[in-house]
Amino acid sequence: MRLLLRVLAPLLGLALAVVGLAIVVETVTLWVAPASSPLIVPWPSWRTAIEGLTWQSGVVRGVAIGVGVVGLLVLLLGLVARRHDVYLADPVPEVTVTTSPRSLARAVGHEVRSHEDVVSASVVATTKRITVKASTLDPADTVRDAVRARVDELLGRLPLARRPRVAVSVTTTKGVK
């Protein structure tokens, strides 16, 4: 979602800048050479079409509803895309300590990869859940228990305000040991 906002924000800004530039160009053209106006936007024909509309017109209400819906979608997108911090235990009441889910995933991944039987691992962390996917050359069941124990031990050492659920899956890969 944050990626979508990072793409959407410059595009909306660019669109507003183009509209603003078109207004400036049309205004200057009308002041300097009224006979050659309009230059880009056919505003005289638009003005005659809009003159007959009132606030009770269906077109005006439809446009207002459409703008409102798009505005609500952008607002919801912004609220959903906010940063979801992982809260740590506060050392004192006046201080709030947080970390990012990426940092938590990095710490868990480092701990999992340090296990001697783990060949590779990927970790995804959110505020509510940590998902560990590891590969091993040994039987997956024994390594899964050891990896889960390591992750639980690490989460016990971290001063997390709320402990996330942990899901560990281990697959056995073929290879020379």
Side-chain angles (χ1 to χ4, degrees):
M1 289 291 186
R2 293 181 77 177
L3 177 65
L4 182 62
L5 277 182
R6 288 181 181 173
V7 172
L8 189 61
L11 288 179
L12 286 175
L14 183 64
L16 286 174
V18 168
V19 168
L21 183 64
I23 290 171
V24 168
V25 167
E26 287 296 330
T27 303
V28 170
T29 303
L30 181 63
W31 287 345
V32 173
S36 66
S37 185
L39 185 64
I40 300 171
V41 180
W43 58 267
S45 60
W46 289 2
R47 185 181 64 194
T48 57
I50 292 174
E51 283 177 347
L53 296 177
T54 65
W55 287 109
Q56 286 75 28
S57 300
V59 174
V60 173
R61 289 183 178 181
V63 169
I65 290 171
V67 168
V69 168
V70 169
L72 283 176
L73 288 176
V74 170
L75 178 68
L76 288 174
L77 185 66
L79 290 174
V80 169
R82 73 182 192 278
R83 184 174 171 170
H84 299 282
D85 288 334
V86 177
Y87 288 93
L88 302 175
D90 299 335
V92 291
E94 297 84 19
V95 177
T96 301
V97 183
T98 63
T99 188
S100 68
R102 179 181 289 177
S103 296
L104 181 60
R106 194 176 304 130
V108 172
H110 181 69
E111 185 70 25
V112 169
R113 286 182 202 95
S114 69
H115 189 279
E116 60 190 22
D117 294 331
V118 173
V119 176
S120 65
S122 68
V123 179
V124 177
T126 64
T127 57
K128 297 179 182 178
R129 184 178 177 100
I130 297 175
T131 305
V132 178
K133 294 180 182 177
S135 298
T136 182
L137 299 173
D138 295 333
D141 293 336
T142 58
V143 175
R144 182 180 305 114
D145 294 338
V147 167
R148 179 174 270 301
R150 278 185 170 232
V151 172
D152 287 340
E153 179 188 334
L154 173 69
L155 293 179
R157 289 191 315 247
L158 293 175
L160 295 172
R162 188 172 151 240
R163 188 178 176 127
R165 291 181 303 164
V166 178
V168 176
S169 67
V170 178
T171 58
T172 304
T173 59
K174 295 178 181 176
V176 179
K177 186 173 180 181

